[in-house]
Amino acid sequence: MSYLGILDADLPDLLKTMYHIRAFEEKVDELFMQGAIHGTTHLSIGEEAVPTGALHALRSDDYITSTHRGHGHCIAKGADLNLMMAELLGRESGYCRGRGGSMHIADVDAGNIGANGIVGGGIPIAVGVGLSIHMQQQARVCLCFFGDGAANEGTFHEAINLCSIWRLPVIFLCENNQYGMSMSAKLSMHVASVADRAIAYGIPGESVDGNDVFAVHHAVWQAAERARAGQGPTLIEARTYRYKGHSKSDQNRYRTRAEIDDWRARDPIVIFTEVVRARGVLAPGADTQVRANAYADIEAAYAFALASPEPQVADLLEGVYA
Amino acid sequence: MATVQVSETALSANDAALTTEMTYAEAIRDALKLEMRRDERIFLLGEDIGIYGGAFAVTRGLFEEFGAERVRDTPISEAAIAGAAIGAALTGMRPVAEIQFSDFMALTMDQLVNQAAKIRYMFGGKAKVPLVMRTPLGSGTGAAAQHSQSLEAWFAHVPGLKVVMPSSPADAKGLLIAAIRDDNPVVFFEHKLLYRVKAAVPTGSYVTPLSQSAVKRAGQDVTVVAFSIMVPRALAAAQRLADEGIDVEVIDPRTLRPLDDTPILESVKKTGKVVIVHEAVGSGGFGGEIAARITESDAFHYLDAPVRRLVGAEVPIPFNPNLERAAVPQEDDIVTAVRRLVREGR
């Protein structure tokens, strides 16, 4: 049995992924508040449906490029929560051995080409990954996450144009969370949707409800089918919202409480849970157990990170060159 | 290509005993051709490098041999060229990108500096970015301020990048082969005025190792450290100074980052006098780094005179040919600077 293109049997796992993302972000938020993590961080609470739906539409050996708000992408790609949390705590056991932190988590061998601290920085790299797939005649695709802010960077234009003329297997997925830091997408673009820009490159463009796992999944699945068939890239906009500020310095002066509440009323996990309940794939009350297990997994990841050693200062210079 | 083919070839210059006269541009083309025949993962991308053969004709004929898949003409999109090279390099390919003029490297800076250079380190040493960005630099062609700069110091400032500046056809070929086989992002600066310079180049494949400075002329009285176009100018100056009884040693670092400074320091200890020559503007230029390496080392105690820099003027490169020549060190300037340092100690 399936519903809107997703097998019923897969629904509990997707719910788990969404809770993992939310629990991870909430834990990171808490740790920053306590001063237990240094630096800065960008949380994706409220945006969980986008990576959850998108990655479910792909195969495990497909690639992703990610953004500064990338924890959810990593988790949905199947990252090890322990290694992620260890990275945020700057530990040697982390994905980047404590050298990268929140904005640079990557696992290239597993297909995660990496988060990126530069807005729009990953878009041309995704095209290169697509080129590599094409030249090696692989059946893979590359899913390129970026935000509404990145859609106004020059790299967006250069990269999507290049990808279009070469018909490379890349899916450009814009997470439009309505703000580039404080700048509203309504004020930073003169089009209604980032997807409208697809026409400029002669590729398909589609705007979907980014709080709906099924809508995101369907759009990405279609794009992946096209990409694997040699029909080139697709531009998808997923409309969503971040509940938390841009980063820890954000005081939310540019938006209203009412706006935040409106989006919270359409919470992606609540919406998805209703579908899971309606499909009857979980015993009554079992979704709360999924939630509880996910939060427990994050606590275990935190314990793993705390117990992990810090990098040795003597190793400071190691790893600059191959 | 379904599966990647890499054939083994000789890695030593000793195996390439025969030489052929060829230009610097031909030597670079030869390196590209030999490497592309050896390893199917290597491909070229850039503006007008296909049927046109490149703005300086360096890639001429490669499109005909390797086809449009491996000699990829791109739109005028430097950031996308750089980014595409990075993404491909991260996932099993070995791209060689051409940026038509090194001034346009400014358009690639985020991709090169924030991405390519940092990826390995910030990913904990778990990824590699084996790419080469070839690009012509330098003045002397009347192309004026936006097509004539020498910006190598920008890149030499960035850990994670390698910066190579060959001064002869033989070095260009061997260093480019080394750069292509290196697992790091390498910026390979070719001087436009050197493209037509002809000299003996070993035939076949050989590697001139990166980060290995070369003594281009042995001498006893004064050290000249020069790279790129300044090497042939320094050698010509040294020839003239020899007639005056001044015995000049010319050291060419060839790779600026990571810099092999030992031959420079050893030479200074021997001669006690050093002139550092480069075309780039002096302030913030790489000559300052070389001077600092000398004065921070025990070579300082051997100096008989202050370290002298002979560098580009603090101006954008002008169009007028007389002004253009005056903006960068010429052979006569090197002769004068070295003579004065030796005779007057300043």
Side-chain angles (χ1 to χ4, degrees), chain A residues 87 90-99 311 315 318, chain B residues 124-126:
Chain A
E87 187 57 35
R91 303 305 165 114
E92 184 69 28
S93 60
Y95 266 113
C96 306
R97 301 171 56 221
R99 273 70 166 178
D315 295 335
E318 180 241 320
Chain B
K126 296 178 183 172

Side-chain angles (χ1 to χ4, degrees), chain A residues 13-96:
Chain A
D13 262 356
L14 296 177
L15 185 63
K16 183 171 84 172
T17 298
M18 295 179 88
Y19 273 126
H20 271 154
I21 297 171
R22 182 153 301 184
F24 186 90
E25 300 290 53
E26 288 180 359
K27 186 67 185 178
V28 170
D29 197 23
E30 174 196 323
L31 294 172
F32 266 97
M33 293 299 185
Q34 294 170 1
I37 300 181
H38 83 158
T40 190
T41 192
H42 308 86
L43 303 176
S44 63
I45 300 173
E47 304 182 17
E48 293 90 346
V50 183
T52 302
L55 269 302
H56 188 62
L58 300 187
R59 302 174 186 166
S60 61
D61 68 344
D62 288 330
Y63 289 107
I64 66 167
T65 62
S66 176
T67 71
H68 60 286
R69 202 176 304 285
H71 302 159
H73 310 153
C74 275
I75 292 171
K77 178 70 180 141
D80 184 319
L81 299 169
N82 290 359
L83 307 194
M84 283 184 67
M85 194 63 88
E87 187 57 35
L88 267 82
L89 266 67
R91 303 305 165 114
E92 184 69 28
S93 60
Y95 266 113
C96 306

